[in-house]
Amino acid sequence: MADIIQLLPDHVANQIAAGEVVQRPASVVKELLENAVDAGAATIQLIVKDGGKTLIQVVDDGIGMSPTDARLSFERHATSKIRSAEDLFKLHTKGFRGEALASIAAIAHVEMHTRPKDEEVGTYLKMEGSTVVSQEVAVTPIGTSIAVKNLFYNIPARRNFLKSNQVEFRHITDEFHRVALAHPGINFYFFHNGSELFHLTAHSLKKRIVQVFGHKTDEKLVPVREETQVVTIEGFICKPSFAKKSRGEQFFFVNDRFIKSPYLHHAILSAFEGLIKPEAHPGYFLYLTVDPTSIDINIHPTKTEIKFDDEHTLYAILRSAVKHSLGQFHLTPSLDFEKDQNLETPYAYQHKEAHLPGVSVDPGFNPFAETTTRSATGRLYKKGSPEGWENLYMGLESKASREESFSSVHYESETISGSIFPHAEVQEENDTTTFQLRRKYIVTTIRSGMLIIDQSRAHQRVLYEKFLRSMTLKETLSQQLLFPISLSFSKGELTILKDMKDHLHALGFIFGEEQEEQLLIKGLPPMIGEKEAEEVLDQLISECSMESSSTNFSQSDMLAKALSKSLSVKTGDLLDNVSQLALVNDLFACKETLLSPFNKPIFITLSESEIDKKFN
């Protein structure tokens, strides 16, 4: 029998390994930034073009590399971080596998300029697909500069699976945030398509958070500090009033390494229990320092998953530390009620004793007496004549009519949240063919039986097609604001809004001149109020930042979905009969009536035969 097992060639093995290490351009950014940090750099520059598809370049002023080290760094399992297996349990560096540069070089064009501090000239190395094209002496500054061009050039299928430039750029920004927040003592610069996005100078941890997420973050932060034998916790949590429905400002760092831990995230949620809504997520920037021997980070190539020796103790310490900070800074509700100044005792009466009120009784009072009597107190009591009793009922009919008119206002009944459609003529009660069930479904009749419609999904479909039509046909309807609204956003959030500016303008948003971390709004779509503008834009930003948003057909599709989700009626909203009927009519005027924009069924039908079977 012939042998069938063979060793794979090096370039094939490198491409297989690259599939685990390099998933998208953001993976390259992460590996290069961490290498620059390990090199002891004081200043790191990140230069990106076209969402990382064309160019990713990281320039640092670290220790640099010799010609031999420069060439050897692109070999698999070649690293300067560890020497033996025991070093895996006392890691103080970001990388240790020696796979990053080899994987990157296998699927891209790489150019490296490097020079150590004690050398007058450096080394220039050029590689294409794990093959060294050239290596020569070059004049270059102290440190290392690595440029990665044409990512996945030799794996076209993998390149085709990359998302749009905007989506890939947002992932790169997330990785940049994680590295920059983990090392506030390093200067960071971030350039995208020739424009500077971030200029982060070395500062304290709080200043670095404010630099990354904007000045409005300063008022949100509450410090956390706890030191035990197991772990040292420091950092900041956001006030409960700033909790958001979407995740975005949740950061865990263990020994200056960003990690993802649903278990520890649950500890934070339990500490905020009762202070935020169930669907909201609090923001936090927590830095945990533990013994390197008590954790294992050699689980996944991305190194964002860590195994702890004693997770239960860490959970309890983290939860108590956050609760302590919430209580220490008076963010938890107090048991003391607010005092009413009207009930305060004046100073002049503080030492006076209370006097019992006097009670006087008239012993001569007889309600059944026919004649007039004089009481001891001098009051005159007289029994009224029964004549004129008809006067008691005069005006009663008009009073009843007034009470009937007042009853239509429903002062003590559940108030209707309002009509979601333009006011139409109110139909007679007998003409109404719909009713609302559990404030969630709209039930109406059809010829074959009964139709049950999910009101939220139906309204999402109506708004979704309306927004798409507005963006496609450029049918701009805008409500001009007498006083423009100024909203604060971080640089990353402003970049996302800038990418959507044309589509937002087509919907009716009118923006003024852009200022640093400020967005001026001069006009809004008619269906969005001034108080809802910030919430709607925050929802749009969070939807764009989420991975699921990249699965949409286009940016306009994503925008229409996000707006329809945030502006549609929700489960629990009470609709009047006119709105119910208008929603049903608008739904069946849509091109697609079966599924919501998120591919969920909108309605179900119950035929008359199915209803009859229930009674049999």
Side-chain angles (χ1 to χ4, degrees), residues 132-363:
V132 179
V133 176
S134 64
Q135 180 175 355
E136 56 190 33
V137 177
V139 178
T140 182
I142 296 175
T144 304
S145 171
I146 299 180
V148 179
K149 303 177 181 180
N150 303 323
L151 192 64
F152 298 120
Y153 80 99
N154 52 355
I155 311 178
R158 192 68 177 272
R159 187 176 180 87
N160 291 336
F161 274 101
L162 294 179
K163 307 302 179 184
S164 64
N165 292 346
Q166 292 82 2
V167 174
E168 297 298 342
F169 169 69
R170 286 195 290 270
H171 285 284
I172 291 175
T173 305
D174 291 341
E175 293 293 346
F176 177 80
H177 286 170
R178 294 167 182 175
V179 178
L181 291 173
H183 303 279
I186 300 178
N187 302 313
F188 285 93
Y189 298 86
F190 186 8
F191 301 89
H192 183 242
N193 291 338
S195 61
E196 184 181 75
L197 297 181
F198 290 95
H199 179 185
L200 309 179
T201 56
H203 256 302
S204 63
L205 177 58
K206 185 175 183 179
K207 289 290 185 181
R208 174 55 57 88
I209 296 173
V210 173
Q211 285 177 342
V212 173
F213 292 98
H215 295 294
K216 66 177 182 179
T217 312
D218 194 8
E219 60 178 328
K220 302 180 183 179
L221 302 179
V222 176
V224 177
R225 174 72 183 177
E226 189 70 34
E227 186 173 353
T228 64
Q229 296 180 350
V230 178
V231 61
T232 299
I233 302 173
E234 59 181 346
F236 298 90
I237 56 175
C238 294
K239 296 178 181 178
S241 57
F242 294 97
K244 297 182 179 180
K245 293 183 179 180
S246 60
R247 299 188 182 185
E249 296 181 356
Q250 290 82 29
F251 292 89
F252 274 121
F253 298 92
V254 175
N255 294 350
D256 293 334
R257 183 191 302 275
F258 173 80
I259 68 163
K260 297 179 181 178
S261 177
Y263 186 68
L264 297 182
H265 177 72
H266 187 271
I268 305 295
L269 293 180
S270 62
F272 276 86
E273 186 178 2
L275 301 178
I276 59 177
K277 296 180 180 179
E279 66 275 7
H281 298 276
Y284 52 82
F285 307 86
L286 296 177
Y287 295 74
L288 284 65
T289 304
V290 299
D291 186 0
T293 60
S294 65
I295 59 175
D296 183 11
I297 60 178
N298 192 19
I299 297 176
H300 194 272
T302 59
K303 296 186 280 291
T304 56
E305 300 177 11
I306 290 184
K307 189 69 175 177
F308 297 94
D309 284 350
D310 191 357
E311 286 186 334
H312 299 289
T313 302
L314 195 62
Y315 181 99
I317 296 175
L318 182 61
R319 180 176 178 271
S320 61
V322 173
K323 288 183 72 69
H324 176 70
S325 294
L326 291 173
Q328 183 179 6
F329 293 92
H330 307 289
L331 299 179
T332 55
S334 175
L335 294 178
D336 296 333
F337 297 99
E338 294 183 0
K339 295 182 179 180
D340 189 352
Q341 295 182 356
N342 296 327
L343 301 179
E344 294 287 344
T345 304
Y347 288 107
Y349 292 88
Q350 284 186 352
H351 303 289
K352 288 186 178 182
E353 296 182 359
H355 298 281
L356 294 176
V359 179
S360 59
V361 179
D362 183 8

Side-chain angles (χ1 to χ4, degrees), residues 408-426:
S408 62
V409 185
H410 300 289
Y411 280 104
E412 297 183 359
S413 62
E414 296 174 332
T415 58
I416 296 176
S417 60
S419 174
I420 58 175
F421 299 97
H423 292 286
E425 295 183 0
V426 181

Side-chain angles (χ1 to χ4, degrees), residues 54-87:
T54 303
L55 172 67
I56 299 173
Q57 185 176 5
V58 173
V59 183
D60 67 73
D61 58 354
I63 60 176
M65 287 183 283
S66 65
T68 304
D69 288 343
R71 175 65 187 87
L72 197 59
S73 64
F74 288 95
E75 296 293 332
R76 292 188 64 195
H77 310 303
T79 180
S80 62
K81 314 298 174 60
I82 62 174
R83 290 290 182 269
S84 62
E86 289 75 14
D87 294 339

